[in-house]
Amino acid sequence: EIVLTQSPATLSLSPGERATLSCRASQSVSSYLAWYQQKPGQAPRLLIYDASNRATGIPARFSGSGSGTDFTLTISSLEPEDFAVYYCQQRGSWPVSFGQGTKLEIK
Amino acid sequence: QVQLVQSGAEVKKPGASVKVSCKASGYTFTGYYIHWVRQAPGHGLEWMGWISPSSGGTYYAQKFQGRVTMTRDTSISTAYMELSALRSDDTAVYYCARVGRYYDSSGQFDFWGQGTLVTVSS
């Protein structure tokens, strides 16, 4: 089973700042990695799929990069609504797996 | 518009079973795989398995094999997840999610149900 390790566990930033979230896979998942945003009491929301493709309706300030084992989600300029928990998910190998999450909190 | 609407919250005793439904609308139900993911309180996301609405074929995470059964009823565009022999650590919100790639079991989850809280308590 592929283990996804997200860092940092918590990221404290202010609105307007740039956020960089990391996801590392225990073995290569090619480009088969997605990112989700989850707010309290809500279902996850797809942001990025196949490492770098924005999902429908996702603002351009969200971008993804990486391949193989190292991936990054970047939020170029944080808006108040961006403070949430972010998960990465791989589909490169069964079983599907998720990272443990990064909590993005307001500083 | 695509929607996945799940059944309501459940409270079960240890050893019982629970069956959660996920009704799809706004798209061709048989064209997209449905996965189930759960989230224990204060924890991350845990993948449970998938069902092909077209064929009824299933694939379960090893952790749940023998306890989980995923089915579907194409006449009402609804998928089901039944979990048996419930334990207290099965207390979680259970989500259904659609794969965003036509006729593909593997993919990103582009639409999610609202979640169903299952509480296991004596």
Side-chain angles (χ1 to χ4, degrees):
Chain A
E1 174 175 341
I2 294 178
V3 176
L4 298 178
T5 302
Q6 293 186 239
S7 61
T10 303
L11 184 58
S12 300
L13 293 170
S14 300
E17 291 193 291
R18 181 184 185 90
T20 302
L21 287 68
S22 174
C23 177
R24 177 164 289 179
S26 59
Q27 62 192 79
S28 177
V29 299
S30 186
S31 294
Y32 299 132
L33 189 106
W35 290 93
Y36 300 85
Q37 175 193 70
Q38 187 179 35
K39 297 179 179 178
Q42 296 184 16
R45 171 194 178 197
L46 176 66
L47 299 175
I48 301 288
Y49 66 95
D50 292 348
S52 61
N53 297 288
R54 268 191 307 278
T56 303
I58 301 304
R61 64 181 182 273
F62 291 91
S63 64
S65 63
S67 66
T69 61
D70 289 298
F71 300 87
T72 300
L73 173 69
T74 301
I75 310 171
S76 59
S77 179
L78 286 165
E79 297 287 342
E81 63 267 27
D82 297 338
F83 292 91
V85 179
Y86 292 82
Y87 293 96
C88 56
Q89 172 240 328
Q90 67 82 19
R91 67 176 185 93
S93 175
W94 293 108
V96 164
S97 53
F98 291 89
Q100 83 281 12
T102 289
K103 181 179 182 181
L104 178 56
E105 65 177 25
I106 300 176
K107 187 173 181 180
Chain B
Q1 71 283 19
V2 174
Q3 278 193 306
L4 299 174
V5 179
Q6 298 184 221
S7 48
E10 303 261 14
V11 179
K12 296 291 182 181
K13 293 192 182 303
S17 298
V18 68
K19 190 171 186 177
V20 179
S21 67
C22 172
K23 182 170 178 58
S25 62
Y27 71 98
T28 303
F29 177 65
T30 51
Y32 298 82
Y33 283 61
I34 293 288
H35 290 232
W36 290 87
V37 176
R38 76 178 187 178
Q39 185 171 36
H43 287 76
L45 302 167
E46 183 177 29
W47 179 77
M48 300 181 69
W50 58 249
I51 182 166
S52 163
S54 175
S55 68
T58 56
Y59 183 86
Y60 304 138
Q62 187 170 14
K63 174 178 180 176
F64 299 103
Q65 283 181 7
R67 284 210 302 144
V68 72
T69 304
M70 296 178 188
T71 57
R72 93 292 189 217
D73 184 340
T74 57
S75 69
I76 55 171
S77 300
T78 300
Y80 302 92
M81 186 284 300
E82 184 171 20
L83 189 62
S84 62
L86 289 168
R87 307 184 289 255
S88 59
D89 62 358
D90 290 319
T91 294
V93 175
Y94 290 76
Y95 293 102
C96 60
R98 190 191 84 156
V99 172
R101 295 164 62 92
Y102 188 69
Y103 261 57
D104 191 344
S105 63
S106 168
Q108 64 279 359
F109 305 132
D110 63 347
F111 288 93
W112 295 65
Q114 82 276 18
T116 297
L117 175 62
V118 175
T119 303
V120 183
S121 174
S122 54

